Amino acid sequence: MTYEPPRPVRGLLLTPEDREAPARVHRLRLLGLVDGPDPALDAFADHLARLTGAPYAMVNFIGEDHQFFAGLSVPVAAPVVREDGSRPEFGRVLPRDHGFCPHVVVRRKALVLEDVRDYPRFAGNPVVDEYGIRSYLGAPLIDSSGMALGTVCASDTEPRVWGRTGLDTIKALAAELVVRLERSAEDGLPL
């Protein structure tokens, strides 16, 4: 199966321009958050998945041309079955124009999508069909320097109402994780 990115609808930019990307990459390196999985962040993502009851939960850092899931909690088998009977594999790296996290980072505020198909900007995103994502809840990781490093997020394969509780949970977890990331970098200790 090949994928051709959707064309912008009436001038709509599907993935927002990210002018902070070079500075963010520099800041991530200073904090020691490079493109490598981190068991503590995987545990954090597992905790988020349990709290939200979502099959997918991630800690995602956004680079200049890609995003990296340093923390990842996914089902053993992807819920989407392709026409040929195969299931997509969920890796740790996605192009920047896939998914919803780059929007959260540029907007610098939480994003709640109860049914991604209700939003033309997001309905054509490759993760909707490839991984069966139907709902999304994400909050930016904004550090003490004011830099949006990435996100914590949860996604479901069914439309769902995340509600105020979901929004408050994701924002609180994002704030908690930023403190842990900065403390770990300052102390030179693992998360």
Side-chain angles (χ1 to χ4, degrees):
M1 175 190 323
T2 61
Y3 170 73
E4 289 188 25
R7 294 186 181 147
V9 179
R10 293 185 212 148
L12 181 65
L13 181 63
L14 295 179
T15 302
E17 184 179 359
D18 185 358
R19 292 186 177 109
E20 288 188 342
R24 176 180 315 105
V25 170
H26 179 71
R27 180 75 176 142
L28 288 169
R29 284 188 185 123
L30 287 175
L31 291 171
L33 302 170
V34 293
D35 288 356
D38 185 308
L41 294 177
D42 284 344
F44 188 91
D46 286 340
H47 176 67
L48 174 57
R50 282 190 304 279
L51 279 177
T52 61
Y56 298 113
M58 287 131 316
V59 176
N60 189 8
F61 299 119
I62 310 295
E64 292 188 61
D65 60 358
H66 71 281
Q67 47 190 320
F68 179 75
F69 302 110
L72 184 61
S73 179
V74 298
V76 172
V80 173
V81 179
R82 297 180 180 133
E83 289 179 19
D84 67 1
S86 68
R87 294 179 186 269
E89 291 184 28
F90 200 95
R92 289 196 183 256
V93 178
L94 280 178
R96 203 179 148 277
D97 63 348
H98 286 48
F100 317 104
C101 294
H103 296 268
V104 172
V105 167
V106 171
R107 290 167 28 115
R108 303 175 62 78
K109 61 184 192 177
L111 178 63
V112 179
L113 302 171
E114 294 177 350
D115 188 340
V116 297
R117 296 170 297 185
D118 289 343
Y119 302 88
R121 170 175 284 225
F122 300 115
N125 198 291
V127 299
V128 173
D129 293 328
E130 183 70 13
Y131 300 104
I133 302 301
R134 294 293 179 257
S135 59
Y136 172 87
L137 175 66
L141 294 166
I142 300 176
D143 73 3
S144 61
S145 76
M147 177 66 63
L149 304 172
T151 66
V152 292
C153 63
S155 298
D156 204 332
T157 56
E158 299 294 327
R160 68 185 288 174
V161 177
W162 297 99
R164 173 51 79 182
T165 302
L167 180 61
D168 290 345
T169 298
I170 201 81
K171 289 166 78 174
L173 287 172
E176 172 191 319
L177 183 56
V178 166
V179 169
R180 287 177 54 189
L181 292 171
E182 289 185 319
R183 188 174 304 139
S184 172
E186 288 172 11
D187 297 341
L189 299 172
L191 286 169

